[in-house]
Amino acid sequence: MPPTDNHGSFLTRISIRRNQVVSMDINHEQELEEIESFQKHVSDRFTQLLPPIAGAGEETTVVGIDTPEPLLSIDWFRKLLDAYLCCESEFKAVLIIGRDATHFSKPPLDRLLPEHLDRTVKALDICNAITHGIELIRHWQRLAQIAVEALQQRPIVEGHVRRAKRALNTLLTSMTVNDKEINHHPGKSAERMWSISRRGGGGVPPAVNHNRTTIGKPRSFSYCFSKSWSASKQIQAMSNNLVVPRGGEPTGLAQPVYIMSSVLVVVMWTLVAAVPCQDRAGLGGHFQVPRHVGSGWAHPMIGLQEKVGEEWKKKGAGAAAGAGLLAEIQVTESIAQKLVEFTEGFEFPVGAEKADEVGAQVVELAEMCRRMEVGLGPLQLQVRELFHRMVRSRAEILAVMEQVGKITTSVPY
């Protein structure tokens, strides 16, 4: 048997091992840097969404950066969705690009990723509900516009007031109808709410004819969901198994998966609180970012939840059945109630002082109509983009998991 160079073979193996260790160290350091950068970007983007705050008797301390948009306004929600889409892109890059796909089949990712993908499925349902809710708000905007145009006439006569009163009463009734009541009393819903007709391929409610004195009866937009579907329960289901990763997890990728799941739930929770959706009872207590999370990304998320929670408490029990917390809708509802009081006590001719007061309210309502007219379309497009982005990202992650061929937890398709 010919002699073998065992010494040379041994040195070769040692050299290969050393190169592998160095490569693993570099990859691990790079992974940690990417995860830290991702956390920082999440923190920065959500910090910018927080409004400025001031302590009692102290100088104003600006927590947010460049935030002219009022909290929960249409423009603010557009920034919120932009922040989510940016975070989602970075998350996918951290999770997939340059990663060893076999990590996906090892604990804890073999459990965390399927759970995250399941949350995205539930988020898709919420996006559909939000899209229909925006259509309902557009209908409210049209009713408010009818009242604005009627009360802008000079002099204000009884015919203008009657027309405005009908539009405002229909608006306020639609804002306060409980979706559960609609489902249990279908006869009432035909008279009190409105529906989004899909005939002719359109999902937009028919335009209001401003030349007619009869205002169409609104109906429920919730027919596209089952009676048992609940936006509140959907949020609760998304947050049930959302647990902070342990410090000794085998892979650092568990942290960005947890962060992205938290961001997803917070964004969906905020949208449901603001836009009319079916059954929002108890929404305020269904999800809270854990305060013991030490990372900086959690602080602005907690601050955001606290601010939205405060608005929810101010709204009270009516928030679950009413119009939601969208700023423009809150102002519209408040002005509509004042103008209804004016129409109910109307006497011709209107005094100069009362005319000025009503005129100022009409101007403010007209501004809310303008904001909704300008902002709701782009907001709805962003919600659709969010929907399609989640579908694509979910498919890409599933494709990587299927390459490994070792999915241990069932994933709903």
Side-chain angles (χ1 to χ4, degrees):
M1 179 177 293
T4 58
D5 187 1
N6 293 327
H7 182 66
S9 177
F10 174 76
L11 291 178
T12 301
R13 291 198 301 271
I14 289 296
S15 177
I16 292 174
R17 290 280 179 86
R18 285 177 177 172
N19 290 336
Q20 288 176 339
V21 171
V22 172
S23 178
M24 289 175 63
D25 288 341
I26 293 174
N27 290 337
H28 183 63
E29 290 179 3
Q30 182 179 356
E31 179 183 283
L32 292 178
E33 290 177 1
E34 291 174 352
I35 293 174
E36 183 177 353
S37 177
F38 173 65
Q39 294 185 57
K40 184 179 184 304
H41 289 165
V42 171
S43 176
D44 290 344
R45 289 190 174 95
F46 279 85
T47 297
Q48 292 177 14
L49 292 166
L50 290 172
I53 59 175
E58 299 176 0
E59 294 183 359
T60 300
T61 302
V62 178
V63 175
I65 304 172
D66 187 24
T67 52
E69 302 85 357
L71 181 70
L72 299 176
S73 66
I74 293 173
D75 288 341
W76 184 89
F77 271 101
R78 294 189 63 189
K79 283 190 68 174
L80 174 69
L81 294 184
D82 278 338
Y84 176 86
L85 291 171
C86 290
C87 292
E88 196 274 342
S89 295
E90 291 187 25
F91 164 71
K92 192 167 56 178
V94 169
L95 185 69
I96 296 177
I97 296 178
R99 298 291 177 227
D100 182 357
T102 59
H103 283 174
F104 288 15
S105 64
K106 300 175 182 177
L109 291 184
D110 63 338
R111 173 182 55 84
L112 295 179
L113 280 178
E115 289 176 354
H116 176 72
L117 297 181
D118 181 60
R119 289 188 190 96
T120 63
V121 173
K122 293 179 173 62
L124 295 179
D125 285 341
I126 292 176
C127 285
N128 282 331
I130 295 299
T131 298
H132 289 293
I134 292 174
E135 291 293 351
L136 179 57
I137 295 174
R138 281 181 164 181
H139 181 70
W140 293 343
Q141 182 263 325
R142 294 185 184 106
L143 291 171
Q145 189 64 43
I146 292 174
V148 166
E149 293 176 1
L151 295 177
Q152 281 178 336
Q153 304 299 319
R154 291 295 182 270
I156 301 177
V157 297
E158 188 173 351
H160 301 151
V161 172
R162 283 201 305 267
R163 189 160 186 260
K165 183 178 179 180
R166 284 196 297 272
L168 292 170
N169 280 331
T170 304
L171 168 64
L172 292 174
T173 299
S174 180
M175 284 182 169
T176 55
V177 171
N178 189 312
D179 286 304
K180 284 188 173 182
E181 179 184 346
I182 294 166
N183 287 334
H184 292 306
H185 302 281
K188 293 182 180 179
S189 67
E191 297 178 357
R192 300 177 65 190
M193 292 292 284
W194 67 285
S195 66
I196 299 172
S197 173
R198 292 178 183 246
R199 295 177 182 177
V204 181
V208 177
N209 186 344
H210 288 218
N211 294 321
R212 296 181 59 186
T213 57
T214 301
I215 300 172
K217 301 296 183 182
R219 297 184 182 182
S220 173
F221 67 94
S222 60
Y223 75 94
C224 53
F225 302 100
S226 69
K227 291 182 180 180
S228 61
W229 192 89
S230 163
S232 179
K233 291 179 180 177
Q234 199 83 335
I235 295 294
Q236 186 176 17
M238 291 176 67
S239 60
N240 276 342
N241 57 355
L242 190 55
V243 181
V244 181
R246 297 188 299 272
E249 297 284 14
T251 172
L253 293 179
Q255 184 69 7
V257 173
Y258 171 74
I259 293 173
M260 198 63 221
S261 289
S262 299
V263 170
L264 175 63
V265 176
V266 168
V267 170
M268 292 297 114
W269 178 82
T270 308
L271 283 170
V272 168
V275 178
C277 291
Q278 180 172 308
D279 187 14
R280 292 177 290 181
L283 182 67
H286 278 342
F287 173 69
Q288 295 292 331
V289 177
R291 291 184 173 275
H292 63 270
V293 176
S295 302
W297 67 269
H299 298 155
M301 305 280 278
I302 293 170
L304 175 59
Q305 278 203 302
E306 289 177 346
K307 291 294 182 183
V308 177
E310 289 171 5
E311 294 299 318
W312 184 266
K313 289 178 182 178
K314 289 178 185 177
K315 181 70 175 176
L325 301 181
L326 190 70
E328 286 80 2
I329 292 302
Q330 293 290 295
V331 175
T332 297
E333 184 177 13
S334 175
I335 298 174
Q337 290 170 347
K338 295 175 183 177
L339 290 177
V340 165
E341 292 177 4
F342 164 73
T343 61
E344 290 176 345
F346 174 75
E347 292 182 1
F348 182 83
V350 181
E353 183 177 350
K354 190 64 175 178
D356 290 342
E357 179 184 346
V358 171
Q361 293 170 349
V362 170
V363 168
E364 189 175 4
L365 184 59
E367 173 61 17
M368 293 302 104
C369 290
R370 185 196 66 79
R371 291 186 187 180
M372 288 186 280
E373 180 72 25
V374 171
L376 287 176
L379 178 62
Q380 192 173 47
L381 288 177
Q382 279 183 299
V383 174
R384 290 174 180 172
E385 181 184 357
L386 173 62
F387 181 98
H388 292 296
R389 178 77 69 83
M390 287 192 293
V391 170
R392 288 195 303 269
S393 297
R394 188 172 181 278
E396 291 171 8
I397 294 174
L398 278 174
V400 175
M401 295 173 72
E402 289 171 351
Q403 288 176 5
V404 180
K406 296 180 180 179
I407 301 179
T408 58
T409 305
S410 61
V411 180
Y413 285 85

